[in-house]
Amino acid sequence: MAQGQSGTKTGTKNGTNSAQAQTVRVLFGGDVMLGRNVKECILRHGADYPLQPVAPLMRAPDLTVVNLECAITDSPERWPGAPKAFYFGAPPAAADTLEGAGVDLVSLANNHALDYGVEGLRDTLRLLRSHGIRVAGAGENRAEACSAAILDCRGIRFGMAAFCDHQSDFAAGDGCPGIAYLDLDEEGAALQQLRQALQPLQRAAVDWPILSLHWGPNMVFRPAPRLRRIAHAAIDMGWKILFGHSAHVFQGIEIHRGCPILYAAGDLVDDYYVDPHFRNDHQLLFELELTRTSWRRIELHPLFIAQCRTRPAAGAQADYIVRQMTALCRELGTTVRHEAGRMWVECGDAGA
């Protein structure tokens, strides 16, 4: 796994020496929900069950990043605020699920990180760290929640800060654990917050600053104009990759000033109701190939979720994902290539 600020990476997950590599592969997966029925499957079938069919794919890149949309805890105490429709709590073995699938870094800036209260969040942080998984977007106070995780990988430095635009009562405070909350209704202040989060990464000579945003409504195929405006502004100020999630379906990729914007990465694993229109059991993994100064391509890996388990999509499932992603990207000026079972975006194919 990639190493943090205190160390340098000596190899990749597949054992390649850093001095021998010219490129780095970074994999982004969407929301990972390991509670409810997924929890029962973990307890019944073992920690590997939810992601085992895609674990080789997830372990192969040099850096694997997801949004963890649940608490990992044994605590039965739910968040004491206003009642919610859904509370997502995974068992401690879920940390093994993530480690077994090669996850290096998670965002906890989302509206389920504190579903089981402050103790649930603290359990989550402790278990992730004990499994060597880095965290951004939540912490013991506002400063910790808003600070970025910095990782060195094959001589390239990555840094990710994470924010969420909903459930304001989860917001970390000066002496209060919680998430990095971003009020997008106050757009000017939100952009200033993103500038402030970027500055430490620039001082740390991070090559690839990554902005993770859990934002926007559920079940929409296209980002709203306001979200596109904020995404463009984030890239303009110096973020190099925008990693969006929360919609529970994938959205198109836009390239702005040469930088990739993943507006919504969809879901990676869950037990959610499958909407016949949105077909949210059809999902994607996004794999970027890049150097210190530029990216080359984004490989898109079709997935299918069934019975709380994710596997590579095939046949009609994969065909639908290819058609849908091709159309959504085209609307954003991005060309998707597909041939011989592969689907990808080349850097040179992106629109202005």
Side-chain angles (χ1 to χ4, degrees):
M1 289 189 176
Q3 297 298 310
Q5 291 169 282
S6 60
T8 57
K9 189 174 178 69
T10 57
T12 68
K13 290 181 229 176
N14 57 16
T16 304
N17 187 280
S18 61
Q20 298 172 346
Q22 300 301 314
T23 63
V24 167
R25 293 156 61 206
V26 182
L27 188 74
F28 292 95
D31 294 348
V32 173
M33 199 292 287
L34 300 172
R36 295 196 314 188
N37 293 331
V38 187
K39 171 182 178 177
E40 296 307 314
C41 287
I42 290 172
L43 295 176
R44 185 180 304 117
H45 302 296
D48 290 343
Y49 176 87
L51 295 173
Q52 187 276 331
V54 293
L57 179 62
M58 294 179 63
R59 286 196 297 260
D62 303 287
L63 179 63
T64 297
V65 186
V66 303
N67 175 61
L68 179 61
E69 195 165 33
C70 61
I72 302 179
T73 181
D74 274 332
S75 174
E77 300 298 326
R78 291 180 170 179
W79 178 251
K84 300 173 56 171
F86 305 112
Y87 295 83
F88 298 151
D96 296 313
T97 303
L98 297 171
E99 184 181 16
V103 173
D104 298 294
L105 172 62
V106 303
S107 166
L108 286 179
N110 60 66
N111 56 308
H112 290 286
L114 274 87
D115 277 0
Y116 284 83
V118 169
E119 289 309 310
L121 174 62
R122 286 174 171 153
D123 286 345
T124 305
L125 293 167
R126 175 180 53 80
L127 285 162
L128 290 172
R129 289 165 179 163
S130 71
H131 284 71
I133 299 171
R134 300 291 301 277
V135 173
E140 285 291 331
N141 51 54
R142 182 185 293 112
E144 185 175 317
C146 294
S147 65
I150 297 177
L151 306 92
D152 294 322
C153 185
R154 287 191 173 191
I156 298 175
R157 177 161 284 194
F158 296 87
M160 187 177 87
F163 297 88
C164 177
D165 75 339
H166 44 295
Q167 193 139 354
S168 59
D169 59 338
F170 275 14
D174 290 338
C176 175
I179 67 168
Y181 174 70
L182 191 68
D183 185 357
L184 296 185
D185 290 332
E186 299 292 337
E187 192 169 320
L191 292 177
Q192 180 58 26
Q193 194 172 347
L194 298 183
R195 288 189 190 93
Q196 291 173 349
L198 178 63
Q199 289 169 0
L201 299 180
Q202 293 172 327
R203 290 194 295 269
V206 166
D207 301 298
W208 286 95
I210 302 167
L211 176 60
S212 172
L213 292 176
H214 197 72
W215 62 346
N218 294 344
M219 298 300 186
V220 291
F221 283 132
R222 296 163 181 85
R226 180 176 67 159
L227 300 191
R228 290 190 67 187
R229 183 172 65 246
I230 290 169
H232 291 181
I235 297 299
D236 291 344
M237 71 178 66
W239 295 97
K240 298 299 184 185
I241 300 172
L242 194 149
F243 167 45
H245 32 87
S246 183
H248 299 308
V249 292
F250 57 81
Q251 296 177 354
I253 298 169
E254 184 175 18
I255 310 303
H256 179 67
R257 298 185 64 176
C259 296
I261 300 172
L262 315 180
Y263 281 105
D267 291 346
L268 179 52
V269 67
D270 58 54
D271 68 350
Y272 302 154
Y273 165 77
V274 178
D275 186 287
H277 172 67
F278 289 101
R279 301 177 73 172
N280 50 298
D281 51 353
H282 294 67
Q283 300 288 350
L284 280 169
L285 283 169
F286 302 74
E287 183 177 348
L288 277 68
E289 181 182 329
L290 48 82
T291 67
R292 178 177 283 114
T293 58
S294 64
W295 65 277
R296 297 180 175 179
R297 69 180 55 86
I298 305 172
E299 197 87 17
L300 302 168
H301 302 286
L303 307 175
F304 187 75
I305 304 172
Q307 299 179 321
C308 304
R309 200 175 207 208
T310 305
R311 59 177 173 78
Q317 298 161 356
D319 292 343
Y320 165 78
I321 294 168
V322 170
R323 291 194 306 271
Q324 180 73 354
M325 192 58 170
T326 299
L328 292 173
C329 285
R330 184 185 301 119
E331 293 177 9
L332 297 172
T334 304
T335 299
V336 175
R337 300 187 182 205
H338 37 88
E339 181 181 349
R342 289 180 56 221
M343 174 170 48
W344 72 98
V345 172
E346 292 279 354
C347 181
D349 289 342

